[in-house]
């Protein structure tokens, strides 16, 4: 009886000193990860960890191999809090088996006018799209179209600034 009483007092105190690990679960909305490889699961876990302040939702997962016979995973991720995220909330992502971190590209419309001080920010933003294109996760020519649009906006700003 004394041991039982002592355990009742000690156990709650021990519970507060234990280390709690948070479990990360991947939500794949369209069942496109039914037979996911360990690499795909690892990529999704990395993205869940990167966006730990939200509960990312994934869809359109595809896997193909590159010329080096390494796996490439492509898909879309939404950081929306909604159970059924809006179409425009999804961002393209991709990762190579021999790569470092998954690349996430948020499609944002380039404004009609752009301050030249913001140009580097938009160029760097486009680099993610270029990398996704190299991985085969977005259609070929996507980066070129983005660059052409950005150059046109910058040229228009330059022409208007010289007048």
């Amino acid at each position: 009886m004394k041991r039982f009483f002592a355990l009742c007092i000690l156990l709650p105190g021990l519970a507060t000193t234990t280390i709690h690990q948070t479990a990360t679960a991947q939500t794949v909305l369209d069942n496109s990860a039914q037979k996911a490889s360990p690499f795909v699961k690892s990529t999704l876990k990395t993205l869940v960890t990167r966006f730990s302040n939200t509960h990312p939702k994934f869809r359109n997962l595809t896997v193909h191999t590159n010329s080096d016979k390494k796996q490439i995973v492509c898909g879309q991720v939404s950081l929306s809090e909604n159970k059924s995220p809006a179409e425009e909330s999804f961002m393209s992502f991709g990762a190579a088996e021999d790569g470092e971190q998954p690349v996430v590209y948020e499609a944002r419309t380039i404004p009609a006018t752009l301050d030249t001080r913001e140009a580097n920010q938009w160029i760097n933003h486009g680099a993610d799209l270029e990398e996704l294109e190299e991985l085969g996760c977005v259609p070929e020519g996507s980066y070129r179209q983005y660059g052409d649009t950005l150059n046109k906006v910058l040229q228009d700003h330059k022409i208007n600034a010289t007048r």
Side-chain angles (χ1 to χ4, degrees):
M1 183 72 167
K2 289 180 184 179
R3 289 182 189 154
F4 176 75
F5 183 70
L7 282 176
C8 290
I9 292 174
L10 290 176
L11 284 178
L14 290 175
T16 59
T17 61
T18 59
I19 298 173
H20 297 285
Q21 294 182 343
T22 58
T24 56
Q26 297 89 25
T27 302
V28 181
L29 298 174
D30 61 359
N31 296 326
S32 58
Q34 286 178 332
K35 296 181 182 178
S37 68
F39 165 66
V40 173
K41 290 177 184 177
S42 172
T43 301
L44 296 180
K45 186 176 180 180
T46 300
L47 289 169
V48 167
T49 302
R50 181 191 292 182
F51 302 116
S52 61
N53 57 342
T54 62
H55 183 73
K57 293 160 192 71
F58 301 96
R59 71 175 187 184
N60 300 337
L61 300 179
T62 60
V63 179
H64 62 274
T65 55
N66 63 11
S67 60
D68 297 332
K69 305 293 184 210
K70 299 288 186 180
Q71 285 187 340
I72 306 285
V73 63
C74 302
Q76 295 178 330
V77 61
S78 174
L79 305 177
S80 172
E81 296 295 326
N82 296 333
K83 193 172 188 176
S84 297
E87 186 72 25
E88 61 272 1
S89 72
F90 283 93
M91 302 176 286
S92 296
F93 76 89
E97 193 171 10
D98 57 353
E100 294 174 16
Q101 290 288 321
V103 177
V104 179
Y105 174 73
E106 179 185 357
R108 291 185 282 169
T109 305
I110 298 171
T113 58
L114 191 63
D115 188 354
T116 53
R117 292 173 286 183
E118 298 173 356
N120 282 338
Q121 173 188 350
W122 286 95
I123 291 168
N124 292 338
H125 180 71
D128 291 338
L129 182 61
E130 180 181 29
E131 195 166 341
L132 285 178
E133 187 175 326
E134 290 172 1
L135 290 171
C137 295
V138 295
E140 195 170 318
S142 298
Y143 177 67
R144 174 143 182 125
Q145 183 179 7
Y146 176 87
D148 290 347
T149 304
L150 182 59
N151 285 335
K152 184 180 180 324
V153 170
L154 291 173
Q155 283 297 327
D156 289 347
H157 176 74
K158 188 176 181 179
I159 290 169
N160 291 335
T162 57
R163 289 183 183 178

